Amino acid sequence: MTVLELVEKYINQKRGVKHNTQANYNFVINVIKKESFGAKRIDKVKLSDAREWLIKLQDDGRGYSSIHSIRGVVRPAFQMAVDDDLIRKNPFEFQLATVVVNDSVTREAITRKQEREFLRFIKEDKHFCKYYDGIYILFKTGLRVSEFCGLTKEDIEFDKERIKVDHQLQRKRDMEYVIETPKTEKGVRYVPMNEDVAECFKRIIENRKNPKIEPMIDGRIGFLFLDKNDMPMVALHWEKYFQHIREKYNSIYKVQMPVITPHVCRHTFCSNMAKSGMNPKTLQYIMGHSDIGVTLNTYTHLQFDDAKEEMKKVCNE
């Protein structure tokens, strides 16, 4: 059995996967098909061969995140071969960071001052002001952008001051729209909304255009954000808006705005809540993190000034 055949066998046993996961599987298969390593017999693959192949991928220009994704499929495929007694050891059982250089750019949270300045610019801009309410919500709720895009009118529970999050909206490469469960099992949750966020939602619903034919995706209707074709907006729309807003801002001001994406909004919200002293378990619930470790990593981004403030609070109590 070759490496390619093993990986294909492993993937063929996966059922009910989300389309993003399936797209990742297809990506991995296409990479392996082009590599001579893919034609290698699995019982001939040594630890050093596995390491050399990943190094070659990086030398060929593959980014760390892509190599991480590839190994994330190949390693369990080889583990399946071990479990089936086809080979004795898994050659991919090593720490990836010990083999290839992590050159991925971490998306850091922006400062409160940058957030205020970015929102002010959007609000005052004649063209981009129509996106202000949506972007404000992303900064103040920590929603994943696909959860945000999937929101319908019935998900905004004004009377209970909360947002119901139990699905996300995705669009496949073939332009098919699909509703999926949130990214993690903890993703189904209620996100509290303050008065400002509620006002943003009210304006969005009030100004929402009424299409001749209301789009329905997997039985859901009333999506808050529609594009020029009267179809629900997806993550790509918002990522482009953020990019254009930043480019315009940086063409006007000398002090440049760093890269801001919908995910940076989520990271910024999480960081702000941590700095404000929110209980990590509460923050984990709001963010929909399946692992408290992901939430706690936000607390490691705190600076000296944050530690100083925290010390003052504790000492003055």
Side-chain angles (χ1 to χ4, degrees), residues 37-55:
F37 183 81
K40 202 174 178 72
R41 268 176 46 174
I42 61 171
D43 58 329
K44 301 292 183 185
V45 177
K46 300 182 180 68
L47 176 68
S48 58
D49 298 326
R51 294 164 76 102
E52 279 176 6
W53 180 54
L54 297 185
I55 291 168

Side-chain angles (χ1 to χ4, degrees), residues 24-291:
N24 184 54
Y25 286 157
N26 295 341
F27 161 73
V28 173
I29 289 292
N30 288 333
V31 169
I32 294 173
K33 278 180 179 175
K34 294 173 187 171
E35 295 285 325
S36 58
F37 183 81
K40 202 174 178 72
R41 268 176 46 174
I42 61 171
D43 58 329
K44 301 292 183 185
V45 177
K46 300 182 180 68
L47 176 68
S48 58
D49 298 326
R51 294 164 76 102
E52 279 176 6
W53 180 54
L54 297 185
I55 291 168
K56 175 188 176 293
L57 290 177
Q58 188 160 58
D59 289 345
D60 289 347
R62 297 272 178 198
Y64 181 86
S65 59
S66 293
I67 297 169
H68 186 273
S69 295
I70 293 164
R71 177 173 172 271
V73 176
V74 176
R75 181 169 66 171
F78 269 88
Q79 189 55 48
M80 180 183 75
V82 172
D83 296 340
D84 285 349
D85 294 324
L86 299 178
I87 55 177
R88 286 191 301 160
K89 286 179 71 177
N90 186 341
F92 282 89
E93 281 297 336
F94 52 81
Q95 290 290 322
L96 184 60
T98 63
V99 178
V100 294
V101 179
N102 186 350
D103 57 2
S104 57
V105 179
T106 55
R107 291 170 290 194
E108 293 292 340
I110 59 173
T111 65
R112 290 181 192 269
K113 186 179 177 183
Q114 287 171 327
E115 179 187 331
R116 283 195 301 271
E117 178 61 16
F118 191 65
L119 286 169
R120 178 203 62 77
F121 177 74
I122 298 167
K123 194 173 190 178
E124 294 175 2
D125 187 88
K126 287 180 181 177
H127 176 68
F128 293 120
C129 60
K130 58 188 171 186
Y131 305 123
Y132 174 81
D133 287 331
I135 292 173
Y136 186 91
I137 290 166
L138 283 167
F139 269 119
K140 302 302 181 183
T141 60
L143 289 170
R144 296 181 178 94
V145 66
S146 295
E147 296 170 343
F148 171 75
C149 292
L151 291 176
T152 65
K153 287 189 265 190
E154 70 170 26
D155 295 321
I156 316 305
E157 301 181 359
F158 291 108
D159 56 331
K160 294 176 181 172
E161 300 177 343
R162 67 187 191 182
I163 306 158
K164 182 171 73 174
V165 183
D166 63 358
H167 64 281
Q168 57 174 323
L169 176 69
Q170 301 273 0
R171 189 174 68 185
K172 298 183 181 179
R173 284 189 177 179
D174 61 5
M175 304 302 281
E176 180 192 353
Y177 292 78
V178 291
I179 294 289
E180 292 185 340
T181 54
K183 186 179 177 184
T184 68
E185 59 182 29
K186 300 271 188 177
V188 176
R189 63 201 188 281
Y190 288 100
V191 174
M193 60 174 169
N194 62 28
E195 202 174 312
D196 291 343
V197 169
E199 287 302 316
C200 287
F201 275 122
K202 283 174 185 173
R203 282 194 296 270
I204 289 165
I205 292 169
E206 193 178 311
N207 298 327
R208 179 186 182 272
K209 58 181 179 178
N210 291 313
K212 288 180 181 176
I213 301 172
E214 191 71 49
M216 179 183 283
I217 313 294
D218 294 343
R220 293 180 188 266
I221 59 169
F223 293 94
L224 298 185
F225 309 100
L226 303 178
D227 64 15
K228 60 185 178 182
N229 300 316
D230 290 339
M231 289 300 289
M233 287 185 189
V234 292
L236 189 63
H237 286 99
W238 290 96
E239 283 159 7
K240 285 292 179 188
Y241 301 152
F242 273 83
Q243 179 190 338
H244 295 150
I245 291 166
R246 176 176 168 266
E247 285 170 354
K248 185 171 183 179
Y249 181 96
N250 286 346
S251 70
I252 297 171
Y253 298 104
K254 279 186 180 178
V255 179
Q256 301 285 282
M257 194 64 71
V259 173
I260 303 176
T261 64
H263 192 78
V264 168
C265 291
R266 176 171 162 81
H267 200 82
T268 300
F269 169 82
C270 192
S271 180
N272 287 343
M273 293 301 101
K275 287 179 179 181
S276 299
M278 181 177 279
N279 181 296
K281 290 300 286 184
T282 303
L283 186 52
Q284 179 192 4
Y285 170 79
I286 293 172
M287 297 299 292
H289 288 151
S290 58
D291 182 3

Side-chain angles (χ1 to χ4, degrees), residues 274-277 302 305-315:
K275 287 179 179 181
S276 299
L302 305 185
D305 288 342
D306 303 309
K308 190 176 174 183
E309 282 299 311
E310 195 69 20
M311 285 274 288
K312 272 186 190 173
K313 265 191 230 171
V314 173
C315 292

